[in-house]
Amino acid sequence: IFAFLILTTTSCFGITETKKISLEQAILSALSTNPQMKMAILDVEKSKNDIKTADKLQNPTVGTFQNMGRAGEGDPHQIGVEYIVELLKRGKRKEVAKTKSQSMYDNQKFQEYNLVFEVKKAYFDLLLKKSNLKILAEQKNISKEILDSTIKQEQKGKVPKTDVVQAKIAYNRTVMYYNIANSEVISSRNRFNSVMNTSNIEYDTQEEYLNGQFEELLTLKPTENFLNFENIKNYTLSNRYDLLSAQEEVKSAQSKLKVAKSQLIPDIELIGGYSYFTKGVSDNGRFQSGAFAGVNLVNIPLVYRYKPEINNAKLDIQKAQLKYEDLQIDVTRSISDAWEKYTVAKDNLNFYNT
């Protein structure tokens, strides 16, 4: 009972406005206000910054070496710079970041598509429930008129009392169906507003029921010749954004393996600077100056060979491929189910329109 009351009662808490909107307005409003969409857009922007981060150069180190007292006699003072040059690493990191950014973008487009679909679905469901309620309201009025007429006829002795009983049963059944339909309208309206993700506005469809022009709201006309199932499946598997995102995750995992292997390549450390003797520490008692330069190989993988990182990167490739294959299966099943529902609904509608 409590769950029924929740579903069939419009909450007034926080609702400051009731507004009727068209399907197009509902889609635009949902896209601009939905927090999940906003977060997806922020993730895309963040991934663009990650590309710049992956392509960064190392910052230099500036240092000085100063001798003091007699311990410094014969040794120069030094001011210099150390700079590490990464070999064959930045490009691979950037490649990972680029594929990750593309995956984020595809995910954002999929969420956008999914939100539009959910808004359309909730909008039409509410419109359908309102149309059903309108029909049942008319049937209820007719049933009431028949009941009142039958009672009058029975009072005049023109019909038996059993006719009154039957008319009352029919009227009570119609009232029951009307109440159920009314609760379904409220539930569908709550579902529509849940998809719209609003707290202070209660939205309702602009249309009160499905009229003769409702086909204009459909993406496909029920009488329209459409592509066959195989063409639809192949197109979807090639262009659906969640699958594209999963493909980019596979590429990203493959790029991460390259990054892991690139750690086996040593880096170069460049050293250079200014060197000088003061009068007090020079051999000839005069100020002398010059320069120094050097090159070191650093991060040489002699002790640690990065095998765990490389093996984990290989495992991540397998996981990404399995995720993509699993998603392909789910999408194919979803296409098959949607195709069956569409063809059956189209055939039924065309049958009744003929």
Side-chain angles (χ1 to χ4, degrees):
I1 295 174
F2 180 71
F4 177 80
L5 289 174
I6 291 176
L7 290 174
T8 59
T9 303
T10 303
S11 175
C12 62
F13 294 107
I15 302 298
T16 59
E17 182 183 357
T18 300
K19 184 177 180 181
K20 291 183 178 292
I21 56 174
S22 65
L23 176 59
E24 182 179 0
Q25 291 171 330
I27 292 173
L28 293 176
S29 176
L31 290 175
S32 62
T33 60
N34 186 274
Q36 296 297 325
M37 278 302 306
K38 291 181 179 180
M39 286 190 289
I41 293 173
L42 292 176
D43 283 339
V44 173
E45 293 301 315
K46 181 182 175 183
S47 69
K48 293 178 182 178
N49 292 327
D50 289 339
I51 295 175
K52 298 177 182 178
T53 301
D55 196 38
K56 69 180 180 180
L57 294 169
Q58 295 290 325
N59 287 319
T61 300
V62 178
T64 182
F65 183 79
Q66 300 290 324
N67 299 305
M68 295 182 180
R70 297 185 61 83
E73 292 183 3
D75 291 323
H77 302 299
Q78 295 178 339
I79 299 175
V81 177
E82 297 178 3
Y83 185 73
I84 294 178
V85 179
E86 294 181 297
L87 298 179
L88 305 176
K89 292 182 174 68
R90 283 174 52 220
K92 294 178 175 61
R93 287 201 307 264
K94 189 174 181 180
E95 184 181 348
V96 172
K98 282 184 175 180
T99 54
K100 188 65 175 178
S101 180
Q102 184 62 45
S103 176
M104 289 290 185
Y105 174 77
D106 290 335
N107 180 64
Q108 180 230 321
K109 298 300 291 184
F110 177 71
Q111 288 195 40
E112 180 180 317
Y113 161 80
N114 197 49
L115 180 59
V116 171
F117 174 76
E118 289 297 324
V119 171
K120 286 183 177 181
K121 182 179 177 182
Y123 190 94
F124 279 113
D125 181 66
L126 175 55
L127 199 51
L128 180 63
K129 295 295 193 299
K130 289 169 69 174
S131 300
N132 187 46
L133 180 64
K134 179 178 179 293
I135 294 172
L136 287 170
E138 295 172 353
Q139 291 180 353
K140 187 181 75 167
N141 292 335
I142 294 172
S143 182
K144 184 65 168 65
E145 291 176 1
I146 292 174
L147 175 60
D148 292 341
S149 176
T150 304
I151 291 174
K152 291 178 181 179
Q153 293 294 321
E154 189 271 335
Q155 290 174 347
K156 295 178 182 179
K158 294 183 178 181
V159 296
K161 194 169 184 178
T162 54
D163 286 2
V164 175
V165 174
Q166 291 177 354
K168 186 174 293 187
I169 292 173
Y171 173 71
N172 290 338
R173 184 185 300 114
T174 304
V175 170
M176 179 187 68
Y177 289 149
Y178 173 81
N179 291 336
I180 293 174
N182 191 42
S183 68
E184 289 178 345
V185 168
I186 296 173
S187 178
S188 294
R189 186 180 292 114
N190 289 338
R191 166 63 181 162
F192 176 57
N193 280 275
S194 177
V195 173
M196 294 297 294
N197 199 47
T198 59
S199 58
N200 60 341
I201 300 176
E202 176 155 307
Y203 287 113
D204 197 358
T205 60
Q206 183 172 280
E207 303 86 0
E208 289 302 321
Y209 56 90
L210 289 171
N211 51 41
Q213 303 299 321
F214 78 94
E215 289 185 7
E216 296 178 358
L217 301 174
L218 299 177
T219 304
L220 297 170
K221 306 297 184 294
T223 55
E224 188 176 322
N225 291 326
F226 200 44
L227 298 172
N228 61 48
F229 174 76
E230 285 301 319
N231 288 339
I232 294 175
K233 184 184 75 171
N234 293 334
Y235 178 84
T236 303
L237 293 177
S238 301
N239 295 276
R240 187 163 151 152
Y241 282 113
D242 54 343
L243 285 171
L244 293 176
S245 178
Q247 284 178 340
E248 292 298 329
E249 288 183 9
V250 174
K251 294 179 182 178
S252 178
Q254 292 169 342
S255 298
K256 286 179 180 179
L257 176 60
K258 295 178 182 178
V259 171
K261 289 182 177 180
S262 71
Q263 295 180 96
L264 295 172
I265 304 172
D267 297 324
I268 295 177
E269 182 184 41
L270 303 177
I271 304 171
Y274 176 71
S275 180
Y276 64 94
F277 285 101
T278 62
K279 293 180 180 181
V281 297
S282 65
D283 294 334
N284 57 10
R286 291 185 301 175
F287 179 85
Q288 301 181 74
S289 65
F292 68 92
V295 178
N296 293 323
L297 274 180
V298 296
N299 298 326
I300 302 174
L302 295 177
V303 179
Y304 187 68
R305 299 284 297 173
Y306 298 98
K307 286 186 178 180
E309 287 88 342
I310 294 173
N311 290 334
N312 283 342
K314 292 178 180 179
L315 294 174
D316 286 338
I317 292 174
Q318 296 180 33
K319 286 176 60 179
Q321 289 174 335
L322 289 171
K323 179 181 177 181
Y324 175 69
E325 292 169 4
D326 182 57
L327 184 57
Q328 269 190 321
I329 295 172
D330 289 342
V331 170
T332 302
R333 289 175 177 171
S334 178
I335 296 169
S336 301
D337 182 58
W339 174 259
E340 290 297 328
K341 290 179 179 179
Y342 171 74
T343 53
V344 170
K346 185 180 74 169
D347 291 342
N348 288 340
L349 184 59
N350 289 334
F351 173 80
Y352 288 109
N353 281 336
T354 55

